[in-house]
Amino acid sequence: MKVYYNQKRENFLSLFRGLILFVALLLVKFDIVPPTDVRVFNIFLVISSIYVLFTTIFPVHKYPFLYKHEIFASIDVILVSILVYLTGGISSDLYLFLVFPVVAAAFRYDFRTAILSAFLVTLVFILFGIIQGINVVLSSAYIRILELGIMAIVLALFLNYIGRESLKLEQKINEMKIFSDITKAVNSSLDTKEVLGLILDSAVRLLDADGGTIFLKDKETGDLIFEKAIGEKGDLLEGKKLAKGEGIVSWVVETGNPAIVNNPSKDKRFSQYYDYISGFKTGSILCVPLKVGDEVLGAIEVVNSTKNKKFSNYELEMLINLSYETSIALHKAILYSNVNLEREKMKKILENIGDGLIILDGRKRLSMWNNVANNFFNISQENIQKRCTEVLKCRNTNGELMCSECPLDKMVFQGLSILQYEIKTWNGQKEYILGCNLSSIWEGRKVTNFILALRDISLIKELDRMKSEFVANVSHELKTPLTAIKGYSELLMKMNLPPEKIKNYHQIIYKEAERLTQLINDLLDVSRIESGRIELRKDMVELRRIIRERASFFQTQTSKHKIILQFPEYPTLLLGDSARLTQVFHNLLDNAIKYSPNGGNVWMRVTDKMEDIIIEVQDQGLGIPPEHLPHIFDRFYRVDSSLRKSTSGTGLGLSIVKSIVEAHNGKISVNSKVGEGTTFIIKLPRRYSLVDPLTGTLSLPYFFPILWRELYREKASFAFGKIAYEFEGLVSENLKRSSIFNLASLIKDKLRPNDLIGHGFDRFYVFTRSVMDIEEKVSHISLGDMGAMRLKFSFISSTSKTIEDVVKLINEDF
């Protein structure tokens, strides 16, 4: 039978028991009930007093390892029996004191201890009768024994019945209190974690369990998550997962049925893994699903260790009732959490979208705005609930206040659901042109909220302006050469002109046609760039040659400007598109001369940084104002200046330059001071392998800067040579590659490992400081295995030549 423990009741029974026993001892001590043997009684008095005093100060429930009421009830019966025996046995006036252990057990709702006490009392009186020699079966003494025994058993049964009914009532009251506390708790909080913690704690307390867990179902995977765990090492489990189909709880969730398992080790559904990692030993399990309608949200499980009690159907019923409250509360908390999550998500979206957003109430007062809107209007938290006329002060594109013809009023009066318009605003630092999309939320015939979406269209407006200007410029630029071509063509057809004039007109027509072709090419390049179809035909190019050619072209076009070139002495090679790079330097030189109307120097500098090549184009012209610098590479953009109307152009040149440079993985920047000039800086990566993959020697783009560093490192003897090769007749690519590789091997065999060998453009360059007879060594290379390859040698040495001779020899090839 079950023992119901209650600390207050135990404390009361211990005190009452101590008083009863002390009263009995005092009655004997003061001869109110005289003892039969005073000496023995005095010994008994000392021993029993110490025992009673000790167990009263330290009640039974203080000793968990001896928490057996039967032991203490038996000792109490023996003590009272001895006392009764010492005061007359069957005829003692204290015999009713033997009933006390029976009553105490009944008040503990412990039927087993009550019956045991009654049985012991009956045995004691039979023993007393035997000792005192009463042999008559139906004598008054035996009747007294039966009377006491029957009374003890009946009293035990009666008190136990009352106790059990009281227990049921107490349990019901306790359950109602717990359910009431749960209802209050879940209704006062919508935090999922807090609600689950309160519910699980109540379940463990209600069922007197050792621990418990609430599992929530992962809708995507079907796994069960340890959402909340209470008990020994429960914190180790929180956040972990049970795979779908694992454990008793998975069976409960999948079937939607509750389960009571009092011997889980013999149940095939039981998983011992989490007992293993937590160190807890599960002895019995109650598990019920958390359901809302037909949807299973998870499960609640309470457990007892192997050292504690087992569960009954009554407790399962209580947990089912609790799970119903839990499911409702959990569903409500999850819905609230989801709403909060969506609200936070929406808030983050509104705060981080590129458009501005302002929400006003039906009285035009500000309710909410995002960061972009704050940037447009410089709104502070102090402006909340203020009318828009005080804060926004919207103006139309002409700069006039719109409050007298407010779009919000227009929307209300005309019953519109959406309204679009444009406004102009100033935030203290910058002027914006905003495209406005106004919508409203209606309740019946009343507007509850206005939603104003704002988009910065300043750049679009500027682009529209520039495009309009571009169309006008292009029309003018196209019309000018066409007019000249048409006019001079008519003269050639209708008039008989002398040969020198005809030649001059032909030159003018050709020049204007070239100009027209360049304009059309610029337009086509812009179209390709916008569609991402700009194509590069990359090869090894010599940058100095391209720049020299463009500088020579423009120098013949101007007498007021002097183009100064500052290059490395050696070829500056990189991987690029020669035609496109020519276009870059053409546009930059054209701008430098065009925007230096008073003449001056134009510098073109090339600096070799090994991995990168830096090109600078510097003029002494008008310069660019600081506010225009961020937009200088935008399409159609032209800086306002006195030269704008007098100089031709579409505003596309620098945009094309930037696109070509970036297509070469490079970067372009600009520095400028008004009245002093402008410098464009281009940084191009070589994008070439340091070692030629075919020959295993240095590739020429890296060979020359390394060579120059070696030449000027110290004034010492050196030998330098060039070995050019060519193929005669039809030779397959494989044979060509094989022959070049073999030639490289032969050259490397003749030189030391640390000598420099470069390869490219069908030639090898060699440099050494240690081998002075290089010409002799290399010129005797056997051509027997070279097939159709023919070689040409050129050598110089520092004994008879200078570094300038090396420069001349190399530059002859480039």
Side-chain angles (χ1 to χ4, degrees):
M1 298 297 289
K2 182 177 178 182
V3 176
Y4 296 90
Y5 165 70
N6 184 290
Q7 185 173 335
K8 289 183 179 180
R9 187 184 298 114
E10 289 293 340
N11 289 334
F12 170 75
L13 287 175
S14 292
L15 181 61
F16 184 67
R17 164 182 163 277
L19 289 174
I20 290 292
L21 292 175
F22 271 119
V23 167
L25 291 171
L26 290 173
L27 288 175
V28 178
K29 181 64 179 174
F30 292 107
D31 284 336
I32 297 171
V33 180
T36 55
D37 189 329
V38 176
R39 186 175 62 84
V40 174
F41 173 76
N42 288 332
I43 297 171
F44 171 74
L45 176 64
V46 173
I47 295 172
S48 58
S49 296
I50 293 171
Y51 169 76
V52 171
L53 183 62
F54 184 82
T55 54
T56 301
I57 296 173
F58 302 101
V60 176
H61 62 84
K62 297 287 187 181
Y63 314 101
F65 61 95
L66 289 175
Y67 194 22
K68 297 291 184 184
H69 291 93
E70 294 92 332
I71 296 173
F72 289 95
S74 300
I75 295 173
D76 287 347
V77 170
I78 292 169
L79 284 176
V80 177
S81 299
I82 294 172
L83 182 61
V84 171
Y85 177 76
L86 292 174
T87 56
I90 295 174
S91 59
S92 173
D93 293 331
L94 297 178
Y95 82 97
L96 285 177
F97 277 85
L98 285 166
V99 179
F100 173 73
V102 181
V103 176
F107 271 110
R108 289 192 182 98
Y109 314 140
D110 187 359
F111 181 69
R112 184 170 58 189
T113 304
I115 293 297
L116 176 63
S117 299
F119 181 69
L120 286 176
V121 168
T122 305
L123 286 180
V124 166
F125 272 87
I126 292 173
L127 181 61
F128 288 167
I130 295 170
I131 292 172
Q132 293 177 348
I134 301 172
N135 300 317
V136 181
V137 177
L138 296 178
S139 66
S140 59
Y142 279 96
I143 291 173
R144 198 171 190 185
I145 292 170
L146 291 174
E147 172 192 329
L148 183 60
I150 292 169
M151 183 175 66
I153 293 172
V154 170
L155 182 61
L157 290 171
F158 176 71
L159 291 177
N160 191 68
Y161 171 77
I162 293 174
R164 283 186 177 276
E165 292 301 316
S166 299
L167 174 64
K168 289 179 182 178
L169 181 60
E170 184 179 328
Q171 284 180 319
K172 288 294 181 183
I173 293 171
N174 190 39
E175 289 171 24
M176 290 176 64
K177 184 177 183 303
I178 289 176
F179 277 109
S180 176
D181 291 343
I182 291 172
T183 303
K184 288 178 183 177
V186 297
N187 288 330
S188 63
S189 175
L190 288 170
D191 182 77
T192 307
K193 290 282 187 184
E194 185 178 351
V195 169
L196 293 179
L198 290 169
I199 291 170
L200 187 57
D201 182 65
S202 299
V204 170
R205 183 159 46 93
L206 181 65
L207 301 175
D208 193 25
D210 292 328
T213 307
I214 288 183
F215 298 86
L216 291 185
K217 184 179 180 182
D218 188 323
K219 292 184 178 180
E220 294 182 1
T221 63
D223 295 342
L224 294 175
I225 303 168
F226 285 82
E227 194 68 26
K228 188 70 180 175
I230 291 178
E232 184 181 357
K233 299 183 180 179
D235 55 329
L236 295 176
L237 300 177
E238 288 187 11
K240 290 185 169 54
K241 290 185 178 182
L242 273 177
K244 185 178 180 182
E246 181 183 359
I248 293 170
V249 67
S250 292
W251 180 87
V252 168
V253 169
E254 289 174 10
T255 62
N257 298 319
I260 176 170
V261 181
N262 281 320
N263 195 354
S265 61
K266 295 183 179 180
D267 195 307
K268 293 181 180 179
R269 299 169 297 177
F270 179 63
S271 172
Q272 296 182 346
Y273 173 69
Y274 289 99
D275 272 13
Y276 173 75
I277 64 171
S278 67
F280 184 84
K281 298 298 181 183
T282 302
S284 50
I285 297 174
L286 279 182
C287 188
V288 297
L290 300 174
K291 297 171 66 176
V292 176
D294 294 330
E295 182 184 4
V296 179
L297 305 176
I300 180 169
E301 180 184 75
V302 293
V303 296
N304 277 328
S305 69
T306 53
K307 298 178 182 179
N308 214 323
K309 65 184 180 68
K310 298 185 182 300
F311 291 117
S312 65
N313 288 327
Y314 175 75
E315 289 161 320
L316 179 62
E317 190 65 30
M318 282 197 294
L319 190 59
I320 290 172
N321 293 335
L322 181 63
S323 73
Y324 175 74
E325 295 290 336
T326 302
S327 300
I328 295 173
L330 180 60
H331 185 61
K332 185 167 64 173
I334 289 173
L335 288 177
Y336 179 76
S337 177
N338 289 340
V339 169
N340 266 348
L341 186 63
E342 290 299 321
R343 184 172 61 185
E344 285 299 314
K345 189 191 298 182
M346 187 59 64
K347 185 178 178 182
K348 289 292 182 184
I349 291 172
L350 294 179
E351 286 178 352
N352 293 285
I353 57 174
D355 293 346
L357 185 73
I358 297 175
I359 298 178
L360 304 99
D361 63 17
R363 298 173 64 184
K364 304 182 187 179
R365 296 178 303 186
L366 272 71
S367 300
M368 197 197 82
W369 57 88
N370 66 358
N371 295 331
V372 179
N374 179 54
N375 184 52
F376 292 152
F377 293 98
N378 198 21
I379 310 171
S380 66
Q381 283 300 320
E382 297 175 355
N383 298 133
I384 198 163
Q385 291 300 309
K386 286 187 178 180
R387 290 176 63 83
C388 62
T389 52
E390 301 176 50
V391 182
L392 305 183
K393 300 177 182 177
C394 299
R395 298 177 180 271
N396 60 24
T397 51
N398 296 324
E400 301 166 344
L401 280 172
M402 299 175 63
C403 297
S404 58
E405 297 181 2
C406 180
L408 279 69
D409 294 336
K410 181 179 179 181
M411 172 170 277
V412 174
F413 295 147
Q414 296 183 12
L416 303 174
S417 58
I418 192 167
L419 187 62
Q420 295 178 335
Y421 53 96
E422 295 177 2
I423 64 172
K424 188 181 289 186
T425 182
W426 172 263
N427 69 351
Q429 297 178 338
K430 182 180 177 181
E431 184 178 74
Y432 293 95
I433 299 175
L434 304 177
C436 301
N437 194 319
L438 179 66
S439 58
S440 57
I441 299 174
W442 293 75
E443 283 187 5
R445 297 184 178 182
K446 182 181 178 182
V447 175
T448 58
N449 288 101
F450 295 99
I451 301 173
L452 182 61
L454 306 161
R455 175 166 292 184
D456 182 7
I457 58 172
S458 307
L459 183 59
I460 296 173
K461 288 290 184 182
E462 180 64 16
L463 285 174
D464 285 343
R465 183 192 67 76
M466 288 192 293
K467 282 183 179 180
S468 299
E469 192 171 289
F470 163 73
V471 171
N473 288 338
V474 168
S475 300
H476 173 74
E477 294 292 334
L478 291 174
K479 188 176 179 181
T480 301
L482 283 173
T483 301
I485 291 169
K486 183 180 179 182
Y488 285 108
S489 297
E490 287 178 351
L491 287 174
L492 289 171
M493 289 188 297
K494 294 180 179 179
M495 297 182 65
N496 292 321
L497 300 172
E500 60 273 10
K501 279 197 174 184
I502 292 173
K503 182 179 180 180
N504 185 38
Y505 290 171
H506 279 155
Q507 288 177 342
I508 293 172
I509 290 170
Y510 177 78
K511 184 178 178 181
E512 293 301 323
E514 283 287 310
R515 182 180 172 189
L516 185 61
T517 301
Q518 183 61 46
L519 286 170
I520 293 170
N521 285 338
D522 282 352
L523 293 173
L524 290 174
D525 283 339
V526 169
S527 175
R528 293 189 190 101
I529 290 167
E530 285 186 339
S531 62
R533 291 185 292 106
I534 185 168
E535 296 179 0
L536 298 180
R537 296 179 180 178
K538 290 185 178 181
D539 200 353
M540 191 184 296
V541 297
E542 215 284 81
L543 208 56
R544 300 180 310 167
R545 185 172 62 187
I546 295 173
I547 294 174
R548 281 198 190 101
E549 190 274 329
R550 285 296 88 196
S552 175
F553 171 81
F554 279 103
Q555 191 65 78
T556 61
Q557 307 294 315
T558 177
S559 58
K560 293 193 296 182
H561 302 83
K562 183 179 180 181
I563 300 175
I564 303 171
L565 304 180
Q566 297 176 347
F567 295 152
E569 292 180 298
Y570 55 84
T572 307
L573 305 171
L574 55 77
L575 190 65
D577 186 319
S578 177
R580 291 295 184 183
L581 290 173
T582 299
Q583 189 177 359
V584 167
F585 300 123
H586 181 96
N587 281 334
L588 292 178
L589 279 170
D590 185 37
N591 278 353
I593 292 170
K594 185 188 300 181
Y595 291 101
S596 302
N598 299 323
N601 294 334
V602 176
W603 289 272
M604 294 199 73
R605 303 185 188 92
V606 176
T607 306
D608 193 335
K609 299 288 187 180
M610 286 289 284
E611 294 296 329
D612 302 302
I613 297 174
I614 310 299
I615 306 104
E616 296 176 77
V617 180
Q618 181 181 354
D619 62 52
Q620 293 179 311
L622 301 174
I624 304 169
E627 63 271 18
H628 293 285
L629 286 175
H631 307 289
I632 199 69
F633 296 107
D634 293 347
R635 293 190 302 276
F636 316 120
Y637 194 88
R638 298 189 71 199
V639 177
D640 291 318
S641 72
S642 58
L643 287 179
R644 182 168 177 174
K645 294 182 180 179
S646 60
T647 57
S648 63
T650 60
L652 296 174
L654 289 179
S655 173
I656 293 170
V657 165
K658 183 174 185 286
S659 298
I660 293 173
V661 169
E662 289 178 348
H664 283 81
N665 302 107
K667 294 180 181 178
I668 185 169
S669 59
V670 60
N671 296 324
S672 185
K673 286 187 178 180
V674 176
E676 295 185 16
T678 302
T679 302
F680 286 91
I681 304 164
I682 298 173
K683 181 179 181 182
L684 293 173
R686 270 210 158 89
R687 307 287 287 183
Y688 223 90
S689 173
L690 177 65
V691 176
D692 178 30
L694 174 61
T695 64
T697 62
L698 288 170
S699 60
L700 288 189
Y702 289 99
F703 172 79
F704 289 122
I706 293 173
L707 170 65
W708 248 248
R709 186 177 62 192
E710 190 69 22
L711 277 172
Y712 286 97
R713 189 180 63 181
E714 55 180 312
K715 298 295 183 179
S717 60
F718 65 85
F720 179 78
K722 180 186 76 172
I723 305 167
Y725 60 84
E726 61 182 10
F727 291 92
E728 296 179 349
L730 297 175
V731 182
S732 68
E733 287 298 319
N734 287 338
L735 182 57
K736 285 182 179 180
R737 293 173 65 87
S738 175
S739 299
I740 295 169
F741 177 79
N742 291 335
L743 176 58
S745 300
L746 289 171
I747 294 172
K748 285 188 282 187
D749 287 342
K750 302 293 184 180
L751 302 175
R752 293 165 61 91
N754 59 348
D755 293 331
L756 298 180
I757 306 174
H759 175 256
F761 292 116
D762 296 340
R763 69 201 73 166
F764 286 92
Y765 289 97
V766 294
F767 174 83
T768 177
R769 287 193 183 277
S770 57
V771 182
M772 296 308 299
D773 57 348
I774 182 174
E775 184 171 5
E776 182 71 18
K777 286 178 177 293
V778 177
S779 60
H780 288 85
I781 291 176
S782 173
L783 300 180
D785 297 329
M786 295 297 169
M789 178 183 277
R790 293 291 176 265
L791 304 182
K792 181 180 180 181
F793 302 94
S794 300
F795 293 99
I796 60 176
S797 70
S798 63
T799 55
S800 58
K801 302 291 182 178
T802 64
I803 294 176
E804 286 71 20
D805 295 309
V806 176
V807 174
K808 182 179 178 182
L809 177 64
I810 292 173
N811 286 324
E812 285 175 355
D813 294 332
F814 293 93

